[in-house]
Amino acid sequence: MSVLPAFRDLDFDDTEQTVEMESLCFACGQNGVTRLLITRVPFFKELLVSSFSCPHCSSSNTDVTSAGRIQEKGVCYTLVIQTHKDLNRELVKSDAASVRIPSEDFEIPSFSQKGTLTTVEGLLDRAISGLQQDQPHRRVVNSDLADQIDAFIAKLECLKELDSPFKLILDDPSGNSFIENPHAPGPDPSLHVSWYKRSHEQDIQLGIQEHEGGDEVQEARDDHDDDYAGGKQQEKEANGIDQEMIHKNEELMKNSDDLRQEVLNFPTNCPECNMPAETHMKLVQIPHFKEVVIMATNCEACGHRTNEVKAGGGVELKGKHIALHVTDVADMSRDLLKSDTCAVLIPELELELGPGALGGRFSTLEGLLLDIRDLVVDRNPFTIGDSGDVDMAGKLKRFGLEIDEVVAGRKDIMFILDDPAGNSYLQNVCAPDPDPALTVTDYERTFEQNEELGLTGLLAEGKSAE
């Protein structure tokens, strides 16, 4: 019996996708029918669509709920809108995302709207429509407030006319929002993307941490465990059995050595179809570099495979800039480690991928280039279907052909890894001697880079302690 994914693409011939159940009608008190459809919108997210109908009073209701996974980090897009093409940029706004326009003191709070796929202009139109909805009632109840809202609506209409440039900030702690880059795969001068670690309050808001009361209970348990451990330690010292602790430390060191030889397995969910899967984890020592943790997931339900790399150590004292002049097809077999804080640049192809585009990768140069082609060309959501931009699709198709030329060794490029955390690596085939085609440069991080890595507060504390 084959295992079907929990989230499947819409298929009108698949009758098993819809689940029916009997439920209470709140309008008449009789029993109606609720239909549930768990599906996935291609290139968007997983959805739970529910529909209720009552045969007794003809009452009906529909609802769409996001069922997508929460990303490891939050994301913040800052877009400077200067032309009408910027207004036509497509964007994905999740339920948890907030939208701000600082110049107009305008904000759409998190969880105040359903997730949507629209354009920047469509987002403004939706805000204007929402403000106009109760205006007739406000003019009767509170005319002054209605006049103020009319004045604010006029400001939003002026934004659509682009009398002056303005800044739009899309902040999503769940990491599931997106703003189109029309210059892809090159950098976008009007768009700045940053990833950040969520705060405790944002985790609570997303429902992935308990409320404060749960933390107090946990702290009380921790205090009780500490007191118990302290009492046991005093008892051991009184009986003169410190040798037991030495023995435990020796066993721990032995187990650490064994851990490097073992592959650990733990259950998880597939990031593509959300079916139960198994993730394999192993510690690997990269020669002439450092120890890293490699995690790989293979889903038997949908066949999706993924791998992720985490640096074994912390953030290095300096950032690292690695440049490789690719002139031969043999360079494609070089091993590389790209951390999740590393940017990839290929000037000859006008390519610049930010740190969060591919996450952490341990692969070869050929494997990374093929992953880039798959991400930028094959899985680009804004060039697929009837509404896709023909010019953009043609540009990305040419980019994919150029990637194929590089992989085949018929085009020379300068391949650059820029990692502010210093945790990326590209194999030196001449090691331990210098590689004439490879240049590695350490550099001092800027204040903005330290801030994105979460080091600004730590550096300030270190200076105050000195």
Side-chain angles (χ1 to χ4, degrees):
M1 180 179 179
S2 61
V3 180
L4 295 176
F7 295 97
R8 288 174 279 168
D9 296 332
L10 283 174
D11 185 358
F12 294 102
D13 296 328
D14 187 357
T15 58
E16 296 183 0
Q17 281 189 273
T18 304
V19 178
E20 294 187 3
M21 64 181 69
E22 194 176 45
S23 56
L24 178 68
C25 175
F26 288 95
C28 66
Q30 300 292 324
N31 285 338
V33 178
T34 296
R35 295 175 177 85
L36 298 178
L37 173 65
I38 303 176
T39 187
R40 175 179 57 210
V41 177
F43 309 110
F44 186 37
K45 62 180 179 180
E46 295 80 13
L47 297 174
L48 174 62
V49 183
S50 63
S51 173
F52 173 80
S53 61
C54 178
H56 304 284
C57 65
S58 301
S59 176
S60 62
N61 182 32
T62 60
D63 189 24
V64 179
T65 304
S66 173
R69 62 193 293 264
I70 297 174
Q71 305 301 319
E72 184 177 350
K73 292 184 178 180
V75 63
C76 181
Y77 293 88
T78 303
L79 175 64
V80 179
I81 299 172
Q82 307 176 67
T83 65
H84 287 283
K85 287 186 177 179
D86 292 330
L87 289 174
N88 291 330
R89 290 180 187 239
E90 296 190 67
L91 63 83
V92 175
K93 177 190 172 298
S94 75
D95 299 353
S98 65
V99 178
R100 290 187 291 121
I101 302 178
S103 60
E104 304 300 332
D105 197 21
F106 171 74
E107 179 176 2
I108 301 175
S110 302
F111 299 102
S112 62
Q113 292 182 352
K114 290 287 186 181
T116 182
L117 172 62
T118 182
T119 63
V120 174
E121 185 175 6
L123 193 70
L124 294 175
D125 287 337
R126 186 177 182 182
I128 292 172
S129 176
L131 292 172
Q132 290 176 337
Q133 185 174 2
D134 294 330
Q135 279 297 84
H137 177 69
R138 290 194 192 99
R139 289 190 179 94
V140 176
V141 178
N142 191 337
S143 59
D144 293 337
L145 178 60
D147 293 339
Q148 293 176 9
I149 293 178
D150 283 336
F152 188 78
I153 291 175
K155 289 183 179 180
L156 295 182
E157 293 285 359
C158 290
L159 292 180
K160 293 168 55 180
E161 298 299 327
L162 281 180
D163 295 337
S164 61
F166 66 95
K167 183 183 296 184
L168 183 142
I169 301 174
L170 177 64
D171 190 346
D172 186 2
S174 71
N176 288 325
S177 293
F178 180 75
I179 294 182
E180 177 190 8
N181 174 10
H183 304 281
D188 189 340
S190 300
L191 181 65
H192 178 261
V193 186
S194 61
W195 289 262
Y196 60 88
K197 186 177 180 181
R198 284 184 292 270
S199 65
H200 178 68
E201 291 75 15
Q202 288 173 327
D203 283 340
I204 292 176
Q205 191 178 27
L206 293 172
I208 57 179
Q209 276 196 18
E210 296 181 353
H211 290 280
E212 298 298 329
D215 295 338
E216 293 174 0
V217 172
Q218 185 62 39
E219 290 175 2
R221 291 175 179 173
D222 293 342
D223 292 340
H224 177 269
D225 292 341
D226 292 341
D227 293 340
Y228 177 78
K232 296 296 288 182
Q233 178 65 26
Q234 292 175 2
E235 181 183 349
K236 288 183 179 181
E237 292 177 352
N239 294 332
I241 53 173
D242 292 339
Q243 292 298 323
E244 183 178 351
M245 180 176 291
I246 298 176
H247 177 69
K248 285 185 177 180
N249 288 337
E250 291 176 350
E251 290 293 323
L252 181 61
M253 293 299 295
K254 181 180 178 180
N255 292 337
S256 298
D257 294 335
D258 293 340
L259 187 62
R260 292 180 176 87
Q261 308 300 326
E262 293 183 4
V263 177
L264 302 180
N265 303 318
F266 56 91
T268 184
N269 285 352
C270 173
E272 187 71 16
C273 68
N274 210 38
M275 286 291 287
E278 192 173 55
T279 295
H280 309 284
M281 183 179 73
K282 191 178 189 303
L283 291 173
V284 176
Q285 178 67 43
I286 298 179
H288 310 290
F289 188 52
K290 62 169 62 175
E291 193 173 66
V292 298
V293 180
I294 300 179
M295 293 180 288
T297 303
N298 183 14
C299 179
E300 296 182 358
C302 67
H304 179 73
R305 295 182 180 182
T306 182
N307 70 79
E308 187 176 2
V309 178
K310 297 292 184 182
V315 177
E316 298 294 324
L317 294 177
K318 293 184 177 181
K320 186 170 291 186
H321 183 277
I322 305 173
L324 173 65
H325 188 202
V326 180
T327 58
D328 191 88
V329 68
D331 291 326
M332 293 295 108
S333 61
R334 290 180 185 245
D335 291 330
L336 66 81
L337 168 67
K338 175 197 171 299
S339 74
D340 53 4
T341 59
C342 179
V344 179
L345 300 92
I346 305 178
E348 291 79 5
L349 304 184
E350 298 182 356
L351 170 71
E352 181 176 342
L353 284 182
L358 286 170
R361 284 286 192 276
F362 182 53
S363 180
T364 61
L365 180 56
E366 179 182 2
L368 185 65
L369 289 175
L370 294 179
D371 285 342
I372 292 174
R373 186 191 64 182
D374 182 54
L375 174 70
V376 176
V377 181
D378 299 335
R379 293 192 287 119
N380 192 310
F382 298 110
T383 59
I384 306 297
D386 298 337
S387 62
D389 190 327
V390 178
D391 294 336
M392 176 63 70
K395 179 181 177 182
L396 293 181
K397 184 178 180 181
R398 291 191 296 272
F399 173 78
L401 294 176
E402 289 181 330
I403 289 283
D404 293 337
E405 291 286 313
V406 173
V407 172
R410 294 190 291 267
K411 183 179 181 65
D412 296 350
I413 61 168
M414 182 65 71
F415 181 81
I416 299 173
L417 296 176
D418 189 355
D419 188 358
N423 287 326
S424 294
Y425 162 83
L426 186 56
Q427 183 184 9
N428 175 5
V429 294
C430 302
D433 298 326
D435 189 336
L438 183 66
T439 304
V440 181
T441 307
D442 295 332
Y443 62 88
E444 296 288 343
R445 286 184 288 268
T446 63
F447 175 81
E448 290 76 13
Q449 288 172 329
N450 282 326
E451 193 171 21
E452 288 187 0
L453 293 173
L455 301 176
T456 307
L458 298 177
L459 294 174
E461 292 177 2
K463 291 181 179 179
S464 61
E466 293 176 357

